[in-house]
Amino acid sequence: MPIEICVTSNLRTGCCAELAQHPVRRYFDEGLMLTLNSDDPAMFRTSLIKEYALVQQTFGFTDEHLRELARNSFEASFLPAEKKIAFLNLLDAATPRA
């Protein structure tokens, strides 16, 4: 079951008192299927790019971790299977692996 997370909205709504207390890294390390989201970008003054940068800078997510989060978003979507595969193939082609 995927878990949608917007770290910024979790902070601004008071779900997490401090950024360092956010469980995003613990959830990821425990193997939960996470997706990063921007919730309401205008209300929370964030974007998907900002959310990815935030977790990378604050919680030490590597580029490979970010690719996994991006893949999760396609896999967890309600798209038909053939569309999911097409987008996952595009993502894989666009992201060089170390």
Side-chain angles (χ1 to χ4, degrees):
M1 175 174 297
I3 299 171
E4 297 178 356
I5 290 181
C6 178
V7 175
T8 301
S9 76
N10 293 158
L11 292 169
R12 294 202 174 131
T13 61
C15 289
C16 291
E18 296 178 21
L19 181 58
Q21 295 174 345
H22 197 283
V24 65
R25 185 61 198 226
R26 180 171 50 89
Y27 289 172
F28 182 85
D29 290 343
E30 290 175 358
L32 298 177
M33 184 186 201
L34 302 181
T35 65
L36 288 182
N37 299 277
S38 58
D39 286 357
D40 185 333
M43 177 181 283
F44 296 112
R45 297 184 308 279
T46 192
S47 67
L48 195 52
I49 292 171
K50 288 179 182 178
E51 293 301 304
Y52 274 79
L54 179 64
V55 299
Q56 188 168 50
Q57 293 165 2
T58 306
F59 300 103
F61 280 73
T62 66
D63 289 347
E64 186 60 34
H65 293 146
L66 298 183
R67 278 189 282 279
E68 183 177 336
L69 293 170
R71 288 184 63 82
N72 287 349
S73 68
F74 287 111
E75 291 171 2
S77 74
F78 294 108
L79 289 170
E82 62 275 0
K83 291 276 192 184
K84 288 182 187 186
I85 292 168
F87 281 117
L88 288 167
N89 287 338
L90 285 172
L91 178 65
D92 290 343
T95 52
R97 300 200 187 268

